Amino acid sequence: MKTFKLGGVHPAENKLSNNSPIQVLPIPKQVFIPVSQSLGAPSKPVVNKGDQVKVGQLIAKGEAFISSNIHSSVSGKVLKIDNITDQTDYPKQAIFINVEGDEWDENIDKSDKVKREITLSKDEIIRKIHEMGIVGLGGAAFPSHVKLMVPKGKKANLLIINGVECEPYLTSDYRLMLEKGEEILIGTTILMKGLGVNKAFIGIENNKPDAIKHLTDLAKDFEGIEVFSLKVKYPQGGEKQLIKALTNREVPSGKLPVEVGCVVNNVGTAFAVYEAVQKNKPLFERVVTVTGKSLKNPSNFLVRIGTHSSELVEKAGGLPDDTGKIISGGPMMGKALNMIDVPIVKGSSGVLLIEDSETERMAVKNCIRCANCISVCPMGLEPVLLAQYSEKEMFENAEKEHILDCMECGSCQYTCPSGRPLLDYIRLGKFKVGEIIRNRGKK
Amino acid sequence: MNLLTVSGSPHIHGDNSIKKIMYGVVFAMIPAILVSIYFFGLDAVKVLLISVIACMFFEWAIQKYLIKGPLTINDGSAMVTGILLAFNVPGNLPVWIIIIGAFVSIGIAKMSFGGLGKNPFNPALVGRVFLLISFPVQMTSWPKPNPLFAGKVLDAITGPTPLGNLKGELRGGRTVQDILEHGTKMIVDGKEVLYKIPDYVQELLGNMGGSLGEISAVALIIGAIYMLCRRIITWQIPVAYLGSVIVFTGILWLIDPNIYINPLFHLVTGGLMLGVFFMATDMVSTPMSPKGQLIFGLGCGVITVIIRVWGAYPEGVSFAILIMNAFAPLINKGFKPKRFGETLKI
Ligand code: SF4
Ligand code: SF4
C-alpha cells in the first residue's frame, strides 16, 4: 500500500467524533467575521456600520492577487467594524454583525438537488472560485483561484484531492466524504477543468475504509478520477508527502507542487468549489469538528463563519471542567487559544479540548542524541541541530541546514524521548532566517 | 474555568522517554546476564551487583553533592553503564578494582562532561580501558567457565581467551591449523594443562574464557533483536560493523589461512558481539544519520581487525569503538541525512 517514505510518526488517532453525522449548528445571535482569513493580504470591508446584509452578500473584497473575498454568513445588521483577537492571537479587523432572520442572497441555489453537468468554461470557473471567496479548507487557507492559475513555464498534469485527514481527533473531512461524496467528486471534476488536467487522484488513509469504498464506488461514474487507499502515517496530509505517496514525485526544496505537475486541494475545498460553481454559493459556512476526551458529545457541525467557538462547545455538551488547553485545529499542528471566544474562520477545521492531565509537557532533559527526531522528520532534516542553531542564534547555519524546509509538522518534538521543545526553537529559527533573507533582498 | 495553557504545537507527545529506552536496554541484557551467571556463578552476580550499585551511587553522589542539580539516577542510564562495565571485566576481578572502574565510568567519562547526553565517549568503555591499562594482570586473568550444575568446582583455575591464546601462539610461529588441532600446553596455577580453543558451537553459546557479558553470542543476539524491534537501536551500525569484520578478516584468511584465522572465529570470540550490539550502538556517543552510522560501523570493524591481527592487544573492540566515538561529531558534520526534495535538481 502506498505511503510516503521518509520519516513520519503514528500518534494515537482518537477520532472520537467519527460516527457523529454533520449537524447544522443553530445560527448564533452575533457573528464576528475577520477580514483576513486566508494567506495573503487582508480584504477590504465594503459595508459600513448600520448596513443591512444578507447571507452570502460580499462584505469584504480581496483586492490583491493573493487574497480572497469574504461574504456575510448571516443576515442582519452590521454592528461595527472593529478589532478582535482571532486564533493567531493578533488583533485583527473584523466585521460584527447582529443576526436578524436568515435571508439568503437570491442568487444562491438553496435546494439540495445535486447538479452534475458543468456549464462554465475554464476561465469562468476560476473567476467564480475567486468571486465566491474559496480558500483551501485544510488549514493553510490559501486562495484557491491562485492555485488554479499555473505560473508561466510550468505545467500541471495531475490534480490531487487530499482526503487524508492525518491529524488525530479531526473528522470533518471524513464525514464530508461519507455524506457529500458525489458533490466532492463533482467539485473535483470542476477543479480538473479549471486546472486544465484530465486526471485526479484522491488520497485517503486506510483508517477510513468506508470513505474509501464510498468514493471508489462513486468515482466509477466520473472520468479520470481515481481513489487511492494510503497506509496511515502522519503527516501524510502534508502536500509534499501526499504527492510523494501517490505519485512518487518529490517536490524540490523551496518549490511549489506544480514544479512536479501537481496541484493539491482538500476534499473540503472540492466540496466548497462544487457549491460555489454549481450553486452559486459563497464560502460562508464549513464543517468543524468539536472534540476532546472529556467532552460529552464530540461532534461535527456545519458552522457559519464568524461563530464563536464557545457556541460549538456548548452544543457539544459544554466545556468540561478539566479543560487545560483549547486548540484550533488538530493536536499536531493546531494553535492553542488563550480564550474560547474566537470566531470560526474559513481555515478552522476543528476545536479540540485537551484535559489538564495532558496539557503539561514532560520535563525537558538533555538531548541523548538518539536521532529519533532525525529519523521521523518527513523533510529529512536534523531537528536536533536546527533547534541547537536557533537556540544559540546561529541562524546562518540553520539556513544552510534547510531550516525553511521544515513544515512544522511537529513529528520531531512528538517523538523526542527527552521532551525537548524542538519545534519551538525551529519556529523561532525559521522566523529569524526569513527576516535575514528579506533583509538580504533589500540590500 | 481554569487558566488555559498556551504553547506551540505539537500538543501531544508520544510515550517515548529516556527511562523507557534505558530500561529497554537493561531488559535486552537479561539473556547475557543469565548466561554469565550460568557460566561464572556467584562471581558474576557479585561483579554485576557491585558494578551497578557503584555506578548508581557515584552518579547520585556527584549530582547531589558536587553538581547539586536534579537527580537522574532513576532514568536507568547509570544502571546500563553498570551492567556494561561488569560485562566487560573478568568474573574474578577484585571488588575494589570494579569500584575504581565505576568511578572512572560515571565520574570522569559521564558526569564531568555534563551527564547523560553530553559524554563524547561510551562511559563503560572508558572505565574498561582505564582498568585494562592500569591493572593489566587482573584484567586479563580469565576464570575458566564453570557451568552451574556441572558438578566439579574448578574455581581457582584460570584460562586464556581464545583470541589471546591464538595471538600468543601465532606470535610464537605456530600455524592456525596446529593451534586449533593440538592445543597449547600451558602452566596454570603451577600445573601443566593442555588448553584447547573450544569449537564454534561452544563459543557461540558462551563456553569459553572471557569477560562476563561477552561470552555468549547467542544471548547477545537475542537482546539485540529485542532492541531492534523496539527501535532502541538501528541496524546500520551492527550491520556495517559485522560486515566489515567479515570482509576484512575474510580477505586475510583467503590470503593465508595459516596465519590468519577464518572470519567465523572472529565473529564468535572476544567482545565483538557485545561491542557491536550494546556499545557501538550507544546513541549518545555515535553518529546520528543513517549514512554516518554506516561509516561509524565500518570504521569500528576495520580498527578492530587491525588491532586483533597486528596490534599489541589480542582484542580491539573497546579501542575501536572509543576511537570512532571521537570521530562521531565529525561524521555528523560530513554525512547528512537524505533531505526531502534534494534528488531533483531543477
Ligand atoms: S529526539 Fe530528542 S533526544 Fe533524540 S536526538 Fe532528537 S533532540 Fe536529541
Ligand atoms: S517539525 Fe520540521 S523539523 Fe520537525 S519533523 Fe516536522 S518538518 Fe522535520
Side-chain angles (χ1 to χ4, degrees):
Chain A
M1 195 173 303
K2 293 183 180 223
T3 187
F4 61 100
K5 281 200 200 71
L6 208 57
V9 290
H10 295 96
E13 289 169 21
N14 285 320
K15 304 267 190 189
L16 311 171
S17 47
N18 250 349
N19 297 320
S20 149
I22 299 170
Q23 304 166 53
V24 179
L25 190 81
I27 303 168
K29 293 200 179 62
Q30 205 178 39
V31 291
F32 316 81
I33 306 179
V35 295
S36 108
Q37 296 188 24
S38 59
L39 233 65
S43 317
K44 229 175 131 219
V46 294
V47 289
N48 291 309
K49 185 176 162 178
D51 283 1
Q52 209 64 38
V53 293
K54 287 184 191 164
V55 177
Q57 181 180 330
L58 184 72
I59 54 175
K61 202 166 164 42
E63 285 170 336
F65 176 59
I66 301 185
S67 68
S68 64
N69 288 342
I70 288 171
H71 303 79
S72 178
S73 58
V74 293
S75 60
K77 198 186 214 161
V78 178
L79 178 69
K80 59 176 175 176
I81 298 175
D82 201 355
N83 279 347
I84 56 152
T85 313
D86 71 350
Q87 19 284 96
T88 59
D89 221 2
Y90 287 106
K92 271 197 187 152
Q93 201 179 38
I95 300 170
F96 292 52
I97 303 172
N98 275 336
V99 179
E100 295 162 8
D102 189 28
E103 194 190 332
W104 289 39
D105 188 289
E106 42 294 327
N107 294 323
I108 303 173
D109 173 359
K110 276 181 86 170
S111 74
D112 270 345
K113 222 174 128 279
V114 176
K115 190 175 156 215
R116 269 194 80 154
E117 85 272 36
I118 301 156
T119 47
L120 268 50
S121 70
K122 176 174 162 39
D123 288 343
E124 283 166 342
I125 287 173
I126 296 178
R127 215 171 307 131
K128 192 59 137 190
I129 289 175
H130 186 187
E131 191 190 318
M132 295 289 148
I134 310 297
V135 302
L137 295 187
F142 191 78
S144 300
H145 64 277
V146 182
K147 267 195 181 172
L148 292 183
M149 297 194 256
V150 177
K152 273 206 187 70
K154 308 270 182 284
K155 212 178 139 31
N157 51 29
L158 176 67
L159 171 71
I160 290 177
I161 298 294
N162 184 349
V164 171
E165 201 160 52
C166 60
E167 273 271 11
Y169 290 97
L170 300 188
T171 57
S172 50
D173 288 349
Y174 167 69
R175 288 312 309 183
L176 206 58
M177 287 189 279
L178 284 187
E179 296 174 35
K180 303 283 179 194
E182 190 172 2
E183 288 89 335
I184 290 173
L185 291 178
I186 300 168
T188 304
T189 313
I190 297 170
L191 283 166
M192 285 159 70
K193 193 167 175 189
L195 194 60
V197 301
N198 50 22
K199 218 165 50 163
F201 288 174
I202 303 184
I204 307 173
E205 285 192 339
N206 64 354
N207 56 353
K208 306 183 249 301
D210 40 355
I212 295 171
K213 178 159 186 316
H214 184 55
L215 288 193
T216 311
D217 289 346
L218 289 173
K220 286 181 194 132
D221 294 341
F222 289 84
E223 205 150 321
I225 302 182
E226 248 182 288
V227 179
F228 287 91
S229 161
L230 303 167
K231 206 165 120 206
V232 176
K233 187 154 89 169
Y234 178 86
Q236 194 137 242
E239 280 193 335
K240 293 183 177 182
Q241 279 64 40
L242 184 58
I243 294 172
K244 177 79 183 173
L246 286 172
T247 67
N248 205 25
R249 302 179 200 170
E250 213 164 278
V251 181
S253 158
K255 303 280 182 185
L256 292 172
V258 75
E259 200 72 32
V260 293
C262 299
V263 170
V264 184
N265 275 292
N266 173 271
V267 284
T269 314
F271 178 67
V273 163
Y274 162 82
E275 292 201 311
V277 174
Q278 304 294 79
K279 301 273 181 175
N280 225 356
K281 184 179 157 197
L283 181 55
F284 60 74
E285 55 184 3
R286 66 158 298 154
V287 182
V288 181
T289 302
V290 189
T291 181
K293 284 186 190 151
S294 301
L295 188 68
K296 207 149 150 237
N297 307 310
S299 314
N300 301 292
F301 292 125
L302 183 65
V303 184
R304 300 284 172 99
I305 301 297
T307 307
H308 267 172
S309 320
S310 50
E311 311 235 1
L312 285 70
V313 174
E314 228 26 75
K315 193 82 208 308
L319 193 71
D321 289 337
D322 65 353
T323 303
K325 213 186 219 183
I326 301 178
I327 294 163
S328 165
M332 292 300 286
M333 294 181 80
K335 233 190 124 346
L337 305 175
N338 63 4
M339 55 177 184
I340 187 164
D341 282 328
V342 298
I344 296 294
V345 293
K346 293 177 182 176
S348 312
S349 46
V351 177
L352 167 63
L353 309 175
I354 304 248
E355 58 278 29
D356 278 327
S357 55
E358 281 191 31
T359 299
E360 209 165 306
R361 286 186 180 176
M362 66 192 279
V364 177
K365 306 245 173 70
N366 277 352
C367 165
I368 54 168
R369 293 187 254 179
C370 66
N372 280 359
C373 53
I374 297 176
S375 60
V376 301
C377 178
M379 299 308 292
L381 306 174
E382 292 164 281
V384 50
L385 188 67
L386 298 177
Q388 258 167 29
Y389 282 148
S390 302
E391 192 177 352
K392 295 186 186 142
E393 308 197 351
M394 295 158 75
F395 300 115
E396 265 88 8
N397 294 42
E399 184 189 352
K400 280 194 207 102
E401 296 293 341
H402 308 275
I403 195 169
L404 291 183
D405 277 355
C406 167
M407 58 185 284
E408 303 188 24
C409 69
S411 302
C412 49
Q413 193 169 322
Y414 171 85
T415 201
C416 173
S418 297
R420 299 199 66 77
L422 296 167
L423 185 50
D424 289 356
Y425 280 120
I426 294 174
R427 243 188 235 115
L428 169 82
K430 281 181 71 174
F431 177 76
K432 293 283 184 189
V433 169
E435 228 168 40
I436 292 172
I437 292 176
R438 276 194 297 280
N439 286 339
R440 221 177 271 152
K442 274 184 206 138
K443 267 177 221 153
Chain B
M1 201 181 73
N2 328 346
L3 277 181
L4 292 175
T5 305
V6 178
S7 57
S9 62
H11 305 287
I12 47 175
H13 189 270
D15 53 3
N16 204 2
S17 70
I18 295 180
K19 250 192 188 165
K20 281 204 172 152
I21 293 174
M22 292 301 163
Y23 288 111
V25 177
V26 171
F27 190 76
M29 291 191 287
I30 288 177
I33 291 175
L34 293 180
V35 169
S36 73
I37 294 175
Y38 176 77
F39 282 118
F40 299 114
L42 284 179
D43 278 351
V45 178
K46 187 184 76 188
V47 173
L48 277 160
L49 274 182
I50 290 170
S51 175
V52 169
I53 293 171
C55 281
M56 293 180 71
F57 170 77
F58 285 126
E59 179 153 327
W60 172 81
I62 290 171
Q63 281 177 332
K64 177 131 180 141
Y65 297 108
L66 277 177
I67 305 178
K68 300 195 168 58
L71 298 178
T72 58
I73 59 160
N74 59 6
D75 72 10
S77 69
M79 190 187 278
V80 170
T81 302
I83 299 175
L84 280 177
L85 180 66
F87 272 9
N88 271 295
V89 299
N92 55 358
L93 198 65
V95 171
W96 59 276
I97 296 187
I98 303 173
I99 295 178
I100 292 177
F103 177 75
V104 173
S105 295
I106 296 290
I108 296 176
K110 184 176 173 191
M111 301 317 286
S112 68
F113 287 99
L116 179 67
K118 310 243 164 143
N119 48 302
F121 298 101
N122 183 324
L125 279 182
V126 174
R128 185 220 164 182
V129 167
F130 177 85
L131 293 183
L132 185 64
I133 295 169
S134 314
F135 309 100
V137 178
Q138 290 91 332
M139 281 294 285
T140 52
S141 75
W142 316 93
K144 244 177 133 173
N146 177 28
L148 278 183
F149 325 116
K152 266 196 286 166
V153 182
L154 299 163
D155 245 350
I157 290 183
T158 55
T161 64
L163 272 178
N165 174 252
L166 180 79
K167 186 152 199 167
E169 294 305 306
L170 283 173
R171 286 250 164 90
R174 296 174 65 186
T175 65
V176 171
Q177 188 78 14
D178 181 32
I179 302 168
L180 287 182
E181 260 172 33
H182 300 107
T184 312
K185 286 204 184 67
M186 46 176 62
I187 311 288
V188 178
D189 299 328
K191 277 174 270 167
E192 196 188 74
V193 287
L194 182 73
Y195 173 78
K196 237 180 149 180
I197 291 178
D199 64 34
Y200 294 122
V201 176
Q202 292 299 320
E203 284 167 351
L204 209 57
L205 293 175
N207 196 2
M208 60 180 173
S211 299
L212 272 191
E214 70 184 24
I215 48 174
S216 171
V218 173
L220 292 165
I221 290 172
I222 292 173
I225 291 173
Y226 170 77
M227 291 198 293
L228 274 170
C229 293
R230 286 257 331 254
R231 293 174 197 233
I232 295 172
I233 60 173
T234 50
W235 60 267
Q236 278 88 353
I237 291 178
V239 167
Y241 198 158
L242 291 175
S244 59
V245 167
I246 293 171
V247 170
F248 196 1
T249 55
I251 292 172
L252 293 176
W253 180 56
L254 288 177
I255 292 174
D256 188 348
N258 277 329
I259 44 176
Y260 303 114
I261 198 161
N262 63 54
L264 185 60
F265 179 84
H266 278 285
L267 284 188
V268 294
T269 58
L272 188 68
M273 290 295 169
L274 178 61
V276 165
F277 292 116
F278 286 89
M279 289 180 304
T281 53
D282 166 41
M283 40 185 69
V284 175
S285 53
T286 54
M288 307 223 273
S289 75
K291 254 183 274 171
Q293 292 175 350
L294 286 175
I295 301 293
F296 182 89
L298 188 85
C300 286
V302 171
I303 298 173
T304 301
V305 176
I306 290 176
I307 295 178
R308 276 188 177 186
V309 175
W310 296 291
Y313 288 91
E315 177 55 301
V317 170
S318 309
F319 294 106
I321 297 174
L322 285 175
I323 291 170
M324 290 310 290
N325 281 167
F327 283 106
L330 213 62
I331 296 175
N332 274 335
K333 280 225 167 70
F335 297 88
K336 296 288 174 184
K338 187 190 159 293
R339 314 286 190 196
F340 186 96
E342 72 172 355
T343 42
L344 284 179
K345 292 266 155 26
I346 300 285

